[in-house]
Amino acid sequence: IEYAKVCVDDNRRAEYIDKFIYKAINNLPHEMSAVFYLYLKGYAYEEIAHLMSIPLGTVKSRIFCLQLLEHMD
């Protein structure tokens, strides 16, 4: 029973973090938020760069910022 409670708590925390991340992304300029949405949908860096007509390095740096946000506790 204790294990199940921990799992439920972890799931709630994950949902809260997901909502926090999506809210933060929504407050960004479209050029940045679009990169994050595409990344979260599973697109590869190269695909995002091509779809948005931006350099691959720009995609990588924006996604790196998102990953930092995801790992903040």
Side-chain angles (χ1 to χ4, degrees):
I1 295 174
E2 196 63 34
Y3 175 75
K5 183 182 182 318
V6 170
C7 290
V8 169
D9 289 345
D10 285 349
N11 286 339
R12 286 187 186 145
R13 182 171 183 257
E15 288 173 15
Y16 173 79
I17 291 170
D18 287 346
K19 287 178 186 177
F20 174 80
I21 290 171
Y22 277 104
K23 185 176 179 180
I25 290 171
N26 281 332
N27 289 323
L28 295 172
H30 175 72
E31 301 80 29
M32 293 188 75
S33 64
V35 170
F36 297 148
Y37 281 122
L38 291 170
Y39 172 72
L40 293 173
K41 293 249 181 211
Y43 285 85
Y45 292 6
E46 293 82 4
E47 292 173 308
I48 297 169
H50 177 74
L51 287 169
M52 298 201 56
S53 300
I54 58 176
L56 181 59
T58 301
V59 172
K60 288 180 178 181
S61 66
R62 290 179 182 171
I63 291 172
F64 177 76
C65 291
L66 175 64
Q67 290 169 337
L68 288 177
L69 182 62
E70 284 182 318
H71 295 291
M72 290 177 63
D73 286 319

